[in-house]
Each structure stands twice: as structure tokens, then as C-alpha cells.
Amino acid sequence: MTDKTPRSTPDRRRHRLAARLAWTLLAILAVPLAYGAAGYVSGFIPVNDNWREAKQGVTIYVETNGVHTSLILPIAAEGIDWRGLVSPNDLADPRYAGDHYGFGWGERRFYLNTPTWADLDARTVIRATIGSDETLVHVDHVVRPFPDRWRRPLRLSSDEYRRLSAYIRASFAPGRPKPIPGYTPSDIFYEGRGHYDAITTCNEWTGAALRATGVRVGAWTPFESGVMRWFR
């Protein structure tokens, strides 16, 4: 005969608790998976699809270290001289000053507390993901940049270059922003402005700067691949 004895109340409670825990774990896993999928797919969706590289103009570089992207611009071009904002004398040793600046933007604690990925901790990740209004602009001094797999050249028209420069300038704190020592003798941080979170990441800042310039790039670029795939 089949045992049709009803399940006891404690058994039912344990079953319901196990089911709730399972659904909770699935929900927790679903969020990063959905975020990753959305970020990956949106990087393939072009904005400014009709854009073409200028035949004459200013050559900049879009750079990646495999995780983080930045924009390399000449110190002076088209009447824009960055030395009024980013002085070589801000470096501990001005002999490391370059003829180009590499600009990046990100969350303050993430930048300062994570000089290498080995220094990354959960608290820093959670704070950056939830969001912060404490941001920095990271500036690398670059000497005679050249194209390679990590650094892609891009020629902008005069108007495009001015739009890009205006976007980058607006990411600095107003006035003469305070310089903060960097990781090496040739890089430095400055007080920035803007809100950083899981939507507006360091790589999305690069993508947004290029979109505002009019350059073809991904619609949303939280990951470096959404930026770099457009520049071969």
C-alpha cells in the first residue's frame, strides 16, 4: 500500500524555507548575470552609426589595460592647452611629464585603494556599485604614444576634438582641482565631479565622452570591450 500519511508541519516549514532560499539564491545570481548580459549586448549597439573618421584633424588614442579604458590627447592642439589645468609641476618629478595626457574617470576610493587588482576588496566593490559622488580624474603623462593592441588611434575633426575636450574638462572639479599623488612618477589624480555607480562606470565615462563627441561607439559601455571593439 502507498503511504499517504500527510507531511508533518515541521517538514512543511523546512520545505518552504528551502524553497525560499533557493529562489533567493537564484535572484541573487540573476542580477549580475542580467547586468553582464545587458552590458555586453549594449556594447554591440552603435550610436552615431554614420560617423566616419576625419581625413584631417587631431589624432587621439583610445586605450585599455584590459579592464579600464582611457582617452589619450595631445597636451596642446586646436587652441586647447591642457597645461593650464594639468600642470607638469603637479608631478612629484616633472621630468616624467609627457607630450600627451591619458584621461580616465572613476570612483575615488576604488581608484586610491586599488592600485592593483590584488588590492581589490568586497567593501570597495560594493561602495562603487551602489554609487558615490566622490570621483577623481586620473591623468597619465604619456610620451609619444603609438598604436598597438592596447592603444587604438582615432582622428577627430577640429569640432569633434573641441567637443571631446569640453566633455573631459567638465569631469574635473570646478576651478583648479587639487592634485593627488598617483601610482607612479608619471601619473596623478585630480578631484573630479559626477556620480559613479554600476550604470555610470569608468568605461561608460569613456563611451559617453565619445558619444558626446559624435564618434561611433556602443550605446552603453560598462565594460571595456564595449568601447574597444569599435576601434581596430
Side-chain angles (χ1 to χ4, degrees), residues 105-114 124 127-128 132-137 178 180 183 189-192 196:
W105 174 93
E107 202 273 330
R108 182 188 184 94
R109 283 185 173 83
F110 197 103
Y111 259 144
L112 297 182
N113 297 342
T114 316
T124 301
R127 177 181 172 84
S132 170
D133 290 324
E134 297 182 25
T135 58
L136 298 174
V137 177
K178 175 185 175 182
I180 300 168
Y183 305 135
F189 293 100
Y190 294 89
E191 298 286 349
Y196 183 102

Side-chain angles (χ1 to χ4, degrees), residues 29-83:
L29 291 173
V31 171
L33 288 173
Y35 176 84
Y40 181 77
V41 171
S42 65
F44 280 97
I45 301 172
V47 172
N48 303 320
D49 197 30
N50 293 326
W51 176 83
R52 297 293 180 269
E53 189 172 7
K55 294 181 179 180
Q56 293 183 336
V58 181
T59 297
I60 70 163
Y61 295 83
V62 185
E63 185 177 50
T64 180
N65 63 6
V67 177
H68 176 80
T69 54
S70 58
L71 297 165
I72 299 176
L73 280 65
I75 283 182
E78 294 298 331
I80 298 169
D81 192 329
W82 288 103
R83 285 169 292 193

Side-chain angles (χ1 to χ4, degrees), residues 2-232:
T2 303
D3 185 2
K4 295 184 178 180
T5 304
R7 183 178 294 170
S8 66
T9 298
D11 286 343
R12 289 179 179 175
R13 288 176 179 169
R14 283 194 293 270
H15 179 74
R16 289 172 182 168
L17 179 59
R20 288 173 183 169
L21 287 173
W23 280 111
T24 300
L25 288 173
L26 285 173
I28 292 172
L29 291 173
V31 171
L33 288 173
Y35 176 84
Y40 181 77
V41 171
S42 65
F44 280 97
I45 301 172
V47 172
N48 303 320
D49 197 30
N50 293 326
W51 176 83
R52 297 293 180 269
E53 189 172 7
K55 294 181 179 180
Q56 293 183 336
V58 181
T59 297
I60 70 163
Y61 295 83
V62 185
E63 185 177 50
T64 180
N65 63 6
V67 177
H68 176 80
T69 54
S70 58
L71 297 165
I72 299 176
L73 280 65
I75 283 182
E78 294 298 331
I80 298 169
D81 192 329
W82 288 103
R83 285 169 292 193
L85 180 68
V86 179
S87 172
N89 292 323
D90 291 339
L91 294 174
D93 187 343
R95 290 179 299 175
Y96 287 92
D99 50 22
H100 284 67
Y101 289 150
F103 295 97
W105 174 93
E107 202 273 330
R108 182 188 184 94
R109 283 185 173 83
F110 197 103
Y111 259 144
L112 297 182
N113 297 342
T114 316
T116 69
W117 291 110
D119 299 303
L120 186 64
D121 59 43
R123 184 169 58 180
T124 301
V125 172
I126 291 171
R127 177 181 172 84
T129 301
I130 292 174
S132 170
D133 290 324
E134 297 182 25
T135 58
L136 298 174
V137 177
H138 186 216
V139 180
D140 269 310
H141 285 248
V142 183
V143 178
R144 294 187 295 277
F146 56 87
D148 58 23
R149 62 174 297 192
W150 306 106
R151 189 180 289 165
R152 318 282 172 80
L154 179 65
R155 190 165 51 249
L156 302 178
S157 69
S158 296
D159 288 343
E160 290 167 345
Y161 181 76
R162 292 190 184 99
R163 287 199 295 271
L164 178 62
S165 299
Y167 189 98
I168 294 172
R169 178 62 184 87
S171 299
F172 283 81
R176 177 71 166 87
K178 175 185 175 182
I180 300 168
Y183 305 135
T184 72
S186 62
D187 76 299
I188 195 163
F189 293 100
Y190 294 89
E191 298 286 349
R193 61 178 167 184
H195 182 78
Y196 183 102
D197 56 28
I199 304 301
T200 310
T201 66
C202 53
N203 293 311
E204 168 57 12
W205 177 85
T206 305
L210 293 169
R211 289 194 296 272
T213 300
V215 173
R216 183 177 65 252
V217 72
W220 178 46
T221 57
F223 310 129
E224 64 92 29
S225 60
V227 176
M228 300 305 295
R229 69 166 47 98
W230 298 97
F231 310 107
R232 301 298 181 186

